[in-house]
Amino acid sequence: MKLDALNYILVAALVVSALGTVMAARLLMAALGLAITSAVLSIILFRFDAPLAAVFELSVCAGLIPAIFISAIGMTRRMSDEDLAERQKRRFRKLWFLPVLTILIGVALTRVHVALDFPMPGATAVKDVREVLWNLRHVDLVGQVVILMGGAFAVVVLVKELKHE
Amino acid sequence: MLPLLILVPLAALLLCNLPFNRQIRCTAVFLFAGAWSLIQSAMVLFRTDVLVAPSAINKFISFGLHLTDVGRVLLLTIGVVTFAAVMVGNRMVTGERARFNFINVLLVSLVGMNGAVTVTDLFSLYVFLEVTSVSSFVLIAFNRDRNGLEGAFKYLVMSAVATVMMLTAVGLMLMFAGDTSFSAVHKALTVNGGHMLAKLAMILFVSGLFIKGGLVPFHGWLPAAYSAAPAPVSVLLGGVVTKVSGIYALVQLSQNVFPPNAVVNHILMVVGTASIIVGALAALGQTDMKRLLAYSSISQVGYIILALGAAGQGGTPGKLALAGAVFHLFNHAIFKSLLFCNSAAVEDIVGTTDMLRLGGLGARMPLTSATSVVGLLSTAGIPPLSGFWSKLLIIVALWQSGLYAYAVLAVLFSVVTLAYLLTMQRKVFFGTLREELSRVTEVGMSLLLPQVILAIVTIALGVLFPLLFNTFLLPVGKL
């Protein structure tokens, strides 16, 4: 697929949200950053004709995993504003190199040429997501349902039971 | 019938969450989990033909599942260890709500493990490994104490790194093969296996599985998770979860998906040996029983990985190494579950697994102590117990392959294994009974039964080895 302007914007958004996730001082912001990163990645996957991967990324990585993180964060104590500001400063001091490193790796990747000198058969040419989910990958669909159930139990075990107690 | 291995526990999971009386549901689902794990074990042992035969269900649902000889061993392991975990959980998880939640998540884990063992597609394998990981994360954090949450968090973070590696590898392999089925990827890698990206894909997937299996140098999460988890979860994790999510997947890939690759084989042998050494040396310095057993697991899994690497050398020694790897995988699942059941018994009665606060318990807990001796001797490879034979197969295969240094190290660290496990036994069960433990009594049937069953299996596998060798192991190694 040709890298048009929208793709560049999406990749930039992906990188920025991922960096924000890692560098955020507040756990809640980091969890939200993770959800945004996964959501942007899902859009990229949809645009790359990978609907199954996109659906999986969107539901599990953008939905379930941040939900579990947020559930766990809900059990923690809130930091004071002063502590938070100090923590944010320390985090920037510790991780300042990450954006620099990301830019350097990005530049290096555009310079490196990997010879794709092998036949690429291309993914199975089924475009309809229903066909993929119901006829080709239904075992994965069952697996995904079970992961969602596991996530639901995580919320019950980690949060609901705590409130109950 | 194979889809039933996934669908029956899943249906039970859905049914027990319907709005009936919670107490009835809780009892029913506990009974179901115990019964199903036994049925699964019995089907693998006595009626594998029923499992693999086409049935009416295949007309409606065909998951494309397949059961290999190694898969059979794993299904049996899952059944036996899950039964032990259910029995331990029945005693040690208290409170109706907690029991209900525990058994639900355990069923999710069972679905994940059964799926991972029977799928024939790399992406499906990834999906079911994730099912197992999510349930493990919840189970480790089940008590919501500081240690449990820390262990679960470490496991989650490392598991996420493994996921990224494995997904990247699946993407690269999809590029080569146009499909993610084992057969298509094998075919594509056989043609293009020498390409840099193909090698990268293989190394990424294998590294991801190293993390899931808790192998050195990716083992940081394992002692924290095993020791912080509630006792029945430690039995499940130490016994079978890491075997399925890391080790079985490695066996499956190295034997059926990746073409013979010297680089991958060398990596396996080096990582296996490093795990044997680091795990054993770290176990020597532990004062907590569960933490010691966790490091011991790293070391014993190292033997399996070392043998798997040697299996890639090919020829009869290679096949012998594969048979040894699979046999040790099963044996380790059984005797390590046994040792974790022993630690659960100690924790249940005394309330701690800190060895500095224990001593002389053998006088008050004779059966727990006796079964612990069986478990530790088998782990150390003392004849005629099962661990002796599997280690012997591995060491003979290494020697016959000309891998003398690896063989010598494997023998030497068996001695170290004996040293740290005997130290554990001495500190916990032998010696004079501490005064504050004078009121201790033997555990009840729910904790004794799994210990006795696992000890009997460990002894029987050793004594019946000549019979097993011909009927069970030789077909696995395709000798």
Side-chain angles (χ1 to χ4, degrees):
Chain A
M1 175 181 261
K2 197 179 154 191
L3 273 178
D4 57 24
L6 182 58
N7 285 338
Y8 278 117
I9 293 168
L10 285 171
V11 169
L14 186 78
V15 171
V16 169
S17 60
L19 282 172
T21 304
V22 176
M23 299 182 77
R26 288 180 63 187
L27 287 173
L28 191 63
M29 296 309 289
L32 290 175
L34 178 70
I36 294 168
T37 308
S38 291
V40 176
L41 184 59
S42 302
I43 299 170
I44 294 173
L45 289 170
F46 265 119
R47 287 179 57 78
F48 274 61
D49 287 334
L52 182 69
V55 169
F56 198 83
E57 180 71 26
L58 195 62
S59 59
V60 177
C61 302
L64 175 67
I65 303 291
I68 294 174
F69 277 137
I70 290 167
S71 305
I73 293 162
M75 297 165 64
T76 61
R77 222 181 24 236
R78 190 182 159 80
M79 289 174 92
S80 69
D81 289 344
E82 294 80 38
D83 286 348
L84 196 65
E86 179 56 31
R87 189 179 158 80
Q88 184 71 69
K89 267 187 211 162
R90 268 190 283 132
R91 206 144 179 83
F92 271 120
R93 275 201 298 270
K94 213 159 131 189
L95 298 173
W96 63 268
F97 64 93
L98 266 183
V100 179
L101 191 67
T102 308
I103 292 167
L104 286 176
I105 291 174
V107 171
L109 281 176
T110 59
R111 306 283 174 203
V112 174
H113 174 71
V114 178
L116 300 176
D117 49 355
F118 54 86
M120 280 191 275
T124 311
V126 180
K127 300 291 181 195
D128 189 342
V129 69
R130 288 167 302 179
E131 169 77 4
V132 173
L133 287 178
W134 296 116
N135 294 338
L136 295 178
R137 319 280 327 182
H138 49 284
V139 68
D140 300 338
L141 197 63
V142 172
Q144 194 178 346
V145 169
V146 183
I147 289 183
L148 290 170
M149 290 176 79
F153 283 120
V155 173
V156 170
V157 168
L158 296 176
V159 183
K160 196 173 165 222
E161 291 302 311
L162 194 73
K163 282 182 184 164
H164 179 78
E165 285 161 17
Chain B
M1 291 283 278
L2 279 178
L4 291 183
L5 291 172
I6 295 171
L7 292 177
V8 171
L10 183 58
L13 198 58
L14 293 170
L15 277 175
C16 75
N17 280 283
L18 293 176
F20 301 126
N21 179 298
R22 187 197 292 271
Q23 197 173 2
I24 295 171
R25 283 184 294 161
C26 188
T27 310
V29 75
F30 249 98
L31 284 173
F32 167 80
W36 178 254
S37 52
L38 283 181
I39 291 168
Q40 179 172 321
S41 309
M43 277 200 291
V44 178
L45 267 180
F46 306 114
R47 297 296 303 271
T48 308
D49 52 327
V50 173
L51 265 183
V52 295
S55 66
I57 197 152
N58 293 81
K59 289 178 187 167
F60 303 102
I61 298 168
S62 169
F63 285 160
L65 305 178
H66 178 66
L67 191 60
T68 60
D69 287 330
V70 185
R72 271 171 52 197
V73 177
L74 257 293
L75 276 186
L76 178 62
T77 315
I78 292 167
V80 174
V81 177
T82 303
F83 176 73
V86 170
M87 293 298 288
V88 175
N90 187 43
R91 164 71 191 139
M92 297 195 68
V93 182
T94 52
E96 192 188 305
R97 297 173 74 94
R99 285 167 65 79
F100 183 68
N101 290 333
F102 166 77
I103 204 71
N104 270 299
V105 186
L106 189 133
L107 280 178
V108 172
S109 181
L110 182 64
V111 172
M113 289 189 287
N114 281 352
V117 168
T118 49
V119 291
T120 54
D121 182 283
L122 274 183
F123 186 74
S124 304
L125 177 67
Y126 156 76
V127 169
F128 281 95
L129 291 183
E130 286 307 297
V131 173
T132 313
S133 295
V134 168
S135 56
S136 303
F137 157 66
V138 184
L139 286 170
I140 294 166
F142 196 79
N143 285 346
R144 299 187 302 275
D145 53 3
R146 187 183 171 85
N147 288 340
L149 287 169
E150 187 187 330
F153 187 72
K154 280 184 180 170
Y155 181 70
L156 189 70
V157 170
M158 291 305 285
S159 198
V161 175
T163 297
V164 170
M165 288 175 158
M166 287 158 62
L167 265 186
T168 309
V170 171
L172 288 171
M173 287 175 192
L174 181 64
M175 196 165 73
F176 277 98
D179 190 5
T180 50
S181 68
F182 288 164
S183 55
V185 173
H186 176 74
K187 209 170 146 188
L189 289 179
T190 306
V191 178
N192 299 305
H195 195 280
M196 189 191 80
L197 286 179
K199 283 181 186 165
L200 178 68
M202 285 190 272
I203 289 171
L204 279 175
F205 211 106
V206 167
S207 302
L209 293 176
F210 283 162
I211 295 176
K212 296 257 183 198
L215 287 151
V216 172
F218 310 110
H219 62 291
W221 65 268
L222 193 142
Y226 279 24
S227 56
V233 180
S234 298
V235 173
L236 196 71
L237 284 175
V240 75
V241 168
T242 43
K243 308 282 182 309
V244 171
S245 49
I247 314 310
Y248 168 74
L250 270 173
V251 175
Q252 178 75 292
L253 291 182
S254 65
Q255 294 305 309
N256 299 321
V257 182
F258 297 164
N261 186 305
V263 177
V264 172
N265 290 336
H266 278 296
I267 291 175
L268 288 174
M269 285 194 287
V270 170
V271 168
T273 310
S275 300
I276 292 172
I277 296 169
V278 173
L281 293 179
L284 277 173
Q286 299 305 315
T287 54
D288 182 88
M289 197 174 170
K290 280 167 81 176
R291 216 171 164 82
L292 182 146
L293 293 176
Y295 278 110
S296 169
S297 282
I298 295 171
S299 182
Q300 295 306 309
V301 164
Y303 281 93
I304 302 168
I305 299 303
L306 172 61
L308 199 57
Q313 307 287 316
T316 306
K319 290 171 181 173
L320 197 63
L322 178 62
V326 175
F327 193 33
H328 199 59
L329 195 159
F330 181 72
N331 287 340
H332 180 244
I334 300 298
F335 55 63
K336 197 46 60 75
S337 300
L338 169 58
L339 290 168
F340 273 113
C341 284
N342 297 142
S343 82
V346 171
E347 191 179 343
D348 184 49
I349 291 292
V350 185
T352 181
T353 51
D354 181 355
M355 293 190 288
L356 300 176
R357 294 166 58 193
L358 301 170
L361 286 175
R364 301 283 172 174
M365 304 170 75
L367 268 174
T368 299
S369 176
T371 52
S372 174
V373 170
V374 172
L376 82 88
L377 292 180
S378 187
T379 310
I382 303 297
L385 299 169
S386 59
F388 165 73
W389 297 107
S390 51
K391 281 192 178 174
L392 184 70
L393 282 181
I394 292 169
I395 291 161
V396 168
L398 287 168
W399 197 266
Q400 288 185 351
S401 302
L403 302 163
Y404 305 119
Y406 289 112
V408 170
L409 280 172
V411 174
L412 276 179
F413 277 87
S414 262
V415 180
V416 179
T417 305
L418 185 62
Y420 66 71
L421 286 174
L422 276 178
T423 308
M424 180 194 87
Q425 187 73 13
R426 184 178 59 79
K427 285 182 177 169
V428 178
F429 294 107
F430 295 166
T432 315
L433 184 71
R434 294 168 77 99
E435 201 179 318
E436 61 269 32
L437 303 174
S438 57
R439 289 187 177 179
V440 163
T441 54
E442 184 59 278
V443 284
M445 190 49 73
S446 188
L447 281 174
L448 264 187
L449 190 64
Q451 293 180 69
V452 172
I453 290 175
L454 292 169
I456 290 172
V457 172
T458 305
I459 296 167
L461 281 173
V463 175
L464 300 175
F465 176 76
L467 178 70
L468 285 171
F469 189 71
N470 289 321
T471 57
F472 191 63
L473 289 170
L474 294 188
V476 166
K478 298 187 182 71
L479 281 165

